[in-house]
Amino acid sequence: MQRYFGIINQTNVHLARDELISVFKTAGARSIRWEPNELVVTAEATGELNSISRRAVFTKYFAKQLEEDQYIQLKGKTFSCIPYTGSKDFKFQKLVEKIKKNGQARVCLNNPDFVIIFYPALNLAGIQLNLPKIDWNKRTPAKRRFYHPSSLDPKYSRCMVNLACAKIGETLLDPFCGSGGILIEARDYGLRTIGIDIKESMCKGASLNGLTDLICANAFDFPVKLSCVQAIVTDIPYGKSTHISNGWSPKRILSELILRAGDSCKKIVIMCRLNELEELPELTRNWRMYKIRRHKSLTRCIICKTDA
């Protein structure tokens, strides 16, 4: 059994921590632990977790924990060491000297064989697993073949898919898919995706963006059997650039979705506006919530209900 740890970004800590916890759960990791006032989540796994290290959007470092009796695996190799705090204090210097002496390895700052990540507050060290550097500018919705101004930030799309704990091969439904931003991130993880949108032009646009299994329909007619869906991840439409049927409002859409799908699907992640959520306290009493302030007059929220 190997121990791993991730160090999350300091921005929106609760969202970042729960995203990483969800990624660990999805990978089948066990003994997932974290300290309330620290930025580290640890877990145990029987196999390698390299394949999942790319999933967590708001994780800065991901590493395989390294104990003192394992330093010998670095014998004859080169390494560099990064303290998370940026401060090379006594603990840091002591760690470097131990690795050099007990592991018989030498320091190399230019292209080393191993990068050691050190979290001084917990005296935690590990061999970094390479997180791919995603160029989010290249993934921006404006770079897709079909663009719509209501498209969700790809970082949050990916984070929401992670929060759903959806596994490879499972089916994820976005009942208000628009141009397909959430589905694009889910497809990249090997999930089967289904998108519904009431506007034919949006379904055609999502198809231009490389998606399949798109249905032009009113989402609440539910042309998809929810028993065949393992996760629902969606962004509630709002604003002048989106189309909402007569008699409907973002608040009504949110409440109907929760009422109709809440008992049928165990994994639901929804992006909505805070003011809509505040009017539905009973429906989301046991849901997790993360606030994302966009500007002075708009705070959006991610709400989650997962039994994973």
Side-chain angles (χ1 to χ4, degrees), residues 38 68 71 79 81-85 87-99 116-125:
E38 300 295 343
E68 286 192 38
Y71 290 170
F79 75 97
C81 194
I82 301 174
Y84 177 69
T85 57
S87 173
K88 297 181 179 181
D89 59 8
F90 173 75
K91 287 184 179 180
F92 174 83
Q93 299 297 343
K94 188 175 180 180
L95 171 69
V96 172
E97 290 304 316
K98 280 186 176 181
I99 294 175
I116 307 299
I117 305 299
F118 182 50
Y119 192 82
L122 300 178
N123 207 28
L124 194 62

Side-chain angles (χ1 to χ4, degrees), residues 4-288:
Y4 294 85
F5 66 86
I7 303 176
I8 60 175
N9 291 338
Q10 295 186 48
T11 303
N12 209 328
V13 170
H14 294 297
L15 175 61
R17 180 182 293 126
D18 282 0
E19 183 201 22
L20 181 53
I21 291 169
S22 297
V23 168
F24 273 131
K25 287 181 178 179
T26 304
R30 292 175 282 181
S31 301
I32 302 171
R33 299 188 180 93
W34 64 96
E35 297 292 333
N37 298 318
E38 300 295 343
L39 301 174
V40 173
V41 178
T42 64
E44 293 181 352
T46 53
E48 292 291 329
L49 294 187
N50 302 56
S51 61
I52 67 115
S53 65
R54 70 184 182 93
R55 287 194 62 159
V57 177
F58 300 115
T59 296
K60 187 176 180 68
Y61 298 113
F62 193 83
K64 181 188 294 186
Q65 192 167 328
L66 184 65
E67 306 292 350
E68 286 192 38
D69 60 0
Q70 298 173 327
Y71 290 170
I72 195 63
Q73 67 180 280
L74 306 180
K75 183 177 181 179
K77 303 293 185 179
T78 60
F79 75 97
S80 65
C81 194
I82 301 174
Y84 177 69
T85 57
S87 173
K88 297 181 179 181
D89 59 8
F90 173 75
K91 287 184 179 180
F92 174 83
Q93 299 297 343
K94 188 175 180 180
L95 171 69
V96 172
E97 290 304 316
K98 280 186 176 181
I99 294 175
K100 288 167 64 178
K101 181 180 179 180
N102 301 337
Q104 300 178 45
R106 58 189 176 84
V107 173
C108 176
L109 302 181
N110 184 25
N111 196 28
D113 296 315
F114 297 101
V115 175
I116 307 299
I117 305 299
F118 182 50
Y119 192 82
L122 300 178
N123 207 28
L124 194 62
I127 298 173
Q128 181 179 15
L129 300 179
N130 290 326
L131 286 166
K133 294 181 179 179
I134 299 171
D135 188 340
W136 291 105
N137 288 327
K138 289 184 178 179
R139 295 185 73 88
T140 185
K143 298 290 179 68
R144 297 173 189 154
R145 290 189 64 189
F146 177 82
Y147 167 71
H148 191 270
S150 66
S151 299
L152 186 62
D153 183 329
K155 289 184 180 180
Y156 287 111
S157 293
R158 182 174 293 206
C159 177
M160 290 168 67
V161 172
N162 286 333
L163 289 171
C165 294
K167 299 177 182 178
I168 293 175
E170 291 188 337
T171 299
L172 182 145
L173 168 67
D174 183 351
F176 309 99
C177 70
S179 58
I182 290 173
L183 302 179
I184 288 171
E185 299 303 326
R187 179 196 58 190
D188 284 355
Y189 291 153
L191 303 177
R192 185 192 171 206
T193 62
I194 301 175
I196 303 174
D197 201 277
I198 199 168
K199 289 195 71 176
E200 185 176 357
S201 61
M202 297 303 284
C203 289
K204 288 181 178 179
S207 179
L208 287 174
N209 288 336
L211 296 166
T212 57
D213 294 320
L214 300 164
I215 303 167
C216 182
N218 184 324
F220 293 116
D221 290 337
F222 278 111
V224 176
K225 289 184 178 179
L226 292 183
S227 59
C228 300
V229 172
Q230 283 74 51
I232 295 175
V233 180
T234 196
D235 179 17
I236 300 297
Y238 76 98
K240 295 180 180 179
S241 64
T242 60
H243 175 79
I244 298 177
S245 299
N246 291 334
W248 288 84
S249 66
K251 186 184 82 169
R252 185 183 173 194
I253 291 173
L254 177 61
S255 62
E256 286 291 321
L257 178 61
I258 293 172
L259 288 170
R260 298 193 191 194
D263 293 332
S264 304
C265 188
K266 294 183 178 180
K267 305 173 182 179
I268 305 179
V269 182
I270 303 172
M271 175 82 83
C272 61
R273 290 182 296 182
L274 178 61
N275 61 326
E276 293 147 7
L277 195 61
E278 288 176 337
E279 297 178 25
L280 304 169
E282 294 301 321
L283 289 181
T284 57
R285 181 181 297 276
N286 297 318
W287 293 48
R288 302 196 309 276

